Amino acid sequence: MKTGQPIDGWLKYRSMPPSSPREREIQLAFADGSLSPQQRFIQLIKYFSDGFFRHATTNFERVNYPGIGGGAGFSVNGIEGFARTAVLLAAWVHATRSEAEPSEERQTIISALKSGILTGTDPQSRYFWGQIGDDDQRVVEGADVARVLYLTRDELWEKLSPLQQNQIAKWLETGIFVETLHNNWLLFPVAINHVLKSLGRGTQRGDAAAFAKYQDFKSNYLENGWFFDKPEGVDYYNAWGITYELFWLNRLSPDFDSDFIRRALTESAALTSHLIGPSGIPIMGRSVCYRTAIPVPLIAVSLIEDTPQTRGMALRALDLVWQHFISHDALRDGGLTQGYFDNDARFVDVYTGTGSCHWGLRSLTLALLHNDPDSFWKSQEQPMPIELGSFHIELPRLGWILNGNHSTGEITIEILSNTKVKPPCADYGFSRRLAELVSRRPRRPNNHAAQYEARIYSTAEPYPLRACNSWL
């Protein structure tokens, strides 16, 4: 899409409706101290499953959630809605694989995933997702489609005909060789390659291309399991994106750069644990609607180092984060809102579409991967560092100082290269809304300064909750 041209399907987006009794029901479940974590999270997973089916197209190849459109267009936003939610449903299928009598609900999910993937990867279908190209959003979603196949291998992949398997593999394989942004995007072709290998569809050419991309990304390593992620630098993509992808590489190919990856996962979990507390997280950076995936590093470590301590820490982190955001209206119409708490167009990045925020489901996805689900859900929760005492951590290569005040519960990130106390932010005001109506493309404010240029980011005053200049 050329700059200035209307975005594909801009007039097809639907406004997100107000909160309903269903969201209130989930809020009450998470506030009810008599319910176990397992009971709460089963309700939550069913909530997202219901949303998936209500908003899916007839063939399930796209899920068109309500909300604000993204720069990739309505069609690609629908692919995001499918892929980013389908991984959670596939993880649920995986978690219930030992049931003596598969439930009707489970069979319905498998059928929907099969239909969606076969329809989307069929070049002869009018609903084809399109070929994966250079710097294409489809390579991001392709990695999640690949994970769906891995998690449902016995139920879905192995029951496809050779012709159907070839169709899907051909679509995915393209994503290994495309050019991507030289940041966390480098990991998506690597993920696709390793899934195809696990399904018996790997090639030497694919291995070589994926390894080169992995080495390119690895050169951005800083410290404590975190990386410089171009072009912005250090932000929470390290938790919900990079650590997540490294975990999957280790799961798919345990011998692949194992020492480095496992050390990075462990150190990322230790760092991330200091960013989570009962009062929330000291949010900074872009893509704030992925916020519920911040516990990913701790859950990843509980999967590779399965001990009562790692499980208890992971469950506590998962519980704290989801309780915090659910209590502040993070759910709407079967999905996650496009904001930090509720919907907030000021901080909805131009690339964010209606299904984009479901990267936030990644923490739930990993929680469902434990071989013994009861050992995770019934773990004794272990406190986060802020619940045990104050801390001061200097991270020179990240350029951060983390401080935790045990008495107040406040956690702060101090970015040493920044000098601004409260960088300005722009509102999503009348002029921007009018410009969107006329141009049929996103005109939301950038607000980069508020996201990255403050000296201090704190749980006490999350930057997305600040008042902005309303006239812009």
mmCIF file of all heavy atoms in Angstrom, residues 301-313 375 379:
data_model
loop_
_atom_site.group_PDB
_atom_site.id
_atom_site.type_symbol
_atom_site.label_atom_id
_atom_site.label_comp_id
_atom_site.label_asym_id
_atom_site.label_seq_id
_atom_site.Cartn_x
_atom_site.Cartn_y
_atom_site.Cartn_z
ATOM 1 N N VAL A 301 10.401 -20.399 31.813
ATOM 2 C CA VAL A 301 11.380 -21.063 32.682
ATOM 3 C C VAL A 301 10.724 -22.186 33.475
ATOM 4 O O VAL A 301 11.338 -23.234 33.722
ATOM 5 C CB VAL A 301 12.058 -20.029 33.602
ATOM 6 C CG1 VAL A 301 12.817 -20.715 34.730
ATOM 7 C CG2 VAL A 301 13.027 -19.177 32.783
ATOM 8 N N SER A 302 9.457 -22.000 33.867
ATOM 9 C CA SER A 302 8.772 -23.073 34.597
ATOM 10 C C SER A 302 8.568 -24.300 33.707
ATOM 11 O O SER A 302 8.364 -25.405 34.216
ATOM 12 C CB SER A 302 7.425 -22.584 35.130
ATOM 13 O OG SER A 302 6.441 -22.489 34.115
ATOM 14 N N LEU A 303 8.632 -24.129 32.402
ATOM 15 C CA LEU A 303 8.510 -25.250 31.472
ATOM 16 C C LEU A 303 9.839 -25.938 31.211
ATOM 17 O O LEU A 303 9.875 -27.144 30.953
ATOM 18 C CB LEU A 303 7.908 -24.765 30.151
ATOM 19 C CG LEU A 303 6.416 -24.424 30.208
ATOM 20 C CD1 LEU A 303 6.012 -23.529 29.035
ATOM 21 C CD2 LEU A 303 5.566 -25.689 30.219
ATOM 22 N N ILE A 304 10.934 -25.192 31.268
ATOM 23 C CA ILE A 304 12.233 -25.818 31.008
ATOM 24 C C ILE A 304 12.943 -26.238 32.294
ATOM 25 O O ILE A 304 13.809 -27.101 32.274
ATOM 26 C CB ILE A 304 13.157 -24.900 30.173
ATOM 27 C CG1 ILE A 304 13.541 -23.639 30.939
ATOM 28 C CG2 ILE A 304 12.526 -24.566 28.840
ATOM 29 C CD1 ILE A 304 14.615 -22.818 30.245
ATOM 30 N N GLU A 305 12.571 -25.631 33.424
ATOM 31 C CA GLU A 305 13.122 -25.999 34.732
ATOM 32 C C GLU A 305 11.938 -26.222 35.677
ATOM 33 O O GLU A 305 11.615 -25.373 36.505
ATOM 34 C CB GLU A 305 14.042 -24.902 35.267
ATOM 35 C CG GLU A 305 15.260 -24.632 34.388
ATOM 36 C CD GLU A 305 16.092 -23.466 34.895
ATOM 37 O OE1 GLU A 305 15.786 -22.952 36.002
ATOM 38 O OE2 GLU A 305 17.025 -23.063 34.188
ATOM 39 N N ASP A 306 11.277 -27.334 35.529
ATOM 40 C CA ASP A 306 10.012 -27.599 36.202
ATOM 41 C C ASP A 306 10.241 -27.938 37.673
ATOM 42 O O ASP A 306 10.461 -29.097 38.036
ATOM 43 C CB ASP A 306 9.289 -28.742 35.483
ATOM 44 C CG ASP A 306 7.871 -28.939 35.987
ATOM 45 O OD1 ASP A 306 7.402 -28.096 36.780
ATOM 46 O OD2 ASP A 306 7.242 -29.932 35.601
ATOM 47 N N THR A 307 10.193 -26.922 38.526
ATOM 48 C CA THR A 307 10.359 -27.094 39.966
ATOM 49 C C THR A 307 9.221 -26.373 40.679
ATOM 50 O O THR A 307 8.576 -25.491 40.105
ATOM 51 C CB THR A 307 11.695 -26.509 40.451
ATOM 52 O OG1 THR A 307 11.647 -25.071 40.321
ATOM 53 C CG2 THR A 307 12.873 -27.056 39.645
ATOM 54 N N PRO A 308 8.947 -26.718 41.940
ATOM 55 C CA PRO A 308 7.914 -25.987 42.685
ATOM 56 C C PRO A 308 8.167 -24.482 42.725
ATOM 57 O O PRO A 308 7.225 -23.688 42.662
ATOM 58 C CB PRO A 308 7.981 -26.611 44.082
ATOM 59 C CG PRO A 308 8.491 -27.997 43.841
ATOM 60 C CD PRO A 308 9.476 -27.872 42.721
ATOM 61 N N GLN A 309 9.433 -24.073 42.795
ATOM 62 C CA GLN A 309 9.761 -22.652 42.847
ATOM 63 C C GLN A 309 9.445 -21.955 41.525
ATOM 64 O O GLN A 309 8.805 -20.895 41.506
ATOM 65 C CB GLN A 309 11.240 -22.459 43.195
ATOM 66 C CG GLN A 309 11.726 -21.028 43.194
ATOM 67 C CD GLN A 309 11.148 -20.174 44.311
ATOM 68 O OE1 GLN A 309 10.635 -20.696 45.299
ATOM 69 N NE2 GLN A 309 11.228 -18.853 44.175
ATOM 70 N N THR A 310 9.891 -22.537 40.405
ATOM 71 C CA THR A 310 9.641 -21.885 39.114
ATOM 72 C C THR A 310 8.154 -21.884 38.777
ATOM 73 O O THR A 310 7.628 -20.904 38.245
ATOM 74 C CB THR A 310 10.440 -22.552 37.980
ATOM 75 O OG1 THR A 310 10.074 -23.935 37.873
ATOM 76 C CG2 THR A 310 11.935 -22.439 38.218
ATOM 77 N N ARG A 311 7.462 -22.981 39.098
ATOM 78 C CA ARG A 311 6.022 -23.017 38.843
ATOM 79 C C ARG A 311 5.292 -21.993 39.701
ATOM 80 O O ARG A 311 4.390 -21.293 39.231
ATOM 81 C CB ARG A 311 5.460 -24.418 39.110
ATOM 82 C CG ARG A 311 5.888 -25.471 38.115
ATOM 83 C CD ARG A 311 4.997 -26.708 38.215
ATOM 84 N NE ARG A 311 4.965 -27.273 39.564
ATOM 85 C CZ ARG A 311 5.803 -28.188 40.016
ATOM 86 N NH1 ARG A 311 6.761 -28.656 39.221
ATOM 87 N NH2 ARG A 311 5.698 -28.657 41.240
ATOM 88 N N GLY A 312 5.670 -21.910 40.979
ATOM 89 C CA GLY A 312 5.006 -20.972 41.886
ATOM 90 C C GLY A 312 5.228 -19.531 41.500
ATOM 91 O O GLY A 312 4.314 -18.697 41.608
ATOM 92 N N MET A 313 6.444 -19.203 41.042
ATOM 93 C CA MET A 313 6.734 -17.839 40.586
ATOM 94 C C MET A 313 5.946 -17.518 39.322
ATOM 95 O O MET A 313 5.385 -16.419 39.173
ATOM 96 C CB MET A 313 8.224 -17.690 40.308
ATOM 97 C CG MET A 313 9.102 -17.601 41.543
ATOM 98 S SD MET A 313 9.124 -15.943 42.255
ATOM 99 C CE MET A 313 10.191 -15.093 41.087
ATOM 100 N N SER A 375 0.018 -29.807 38.240
ATOM 101 C CA SER A 375 1.226 -29.410 38.972
ATOM 102 C C SER A 375 1.491 -27.925 38.837
ATOM 103 O O SER A 375 2.128 -27.315 39.703
ATOM 104 C CB SER A 375 2.437 -30.199 38.482
ATOM 105 O OG SER A 375 2.826 -29.782 37.176
ATOM 106 N N SER A 379 0.030 -25.139 42.036
ATOM 107 C CA SER A 379 1.286 -24.780 42.701
ATOM 108 C C SER A 379 1.045 -23.765 43.806
ATOM 109 O O SER A 379 0.103 -22.964 43.750
ATOM 110 C CB SER A 379 2.266 -24.178 41.681
ATOM 111 O OG SER A 379 2.637 -25.121 40.722
#
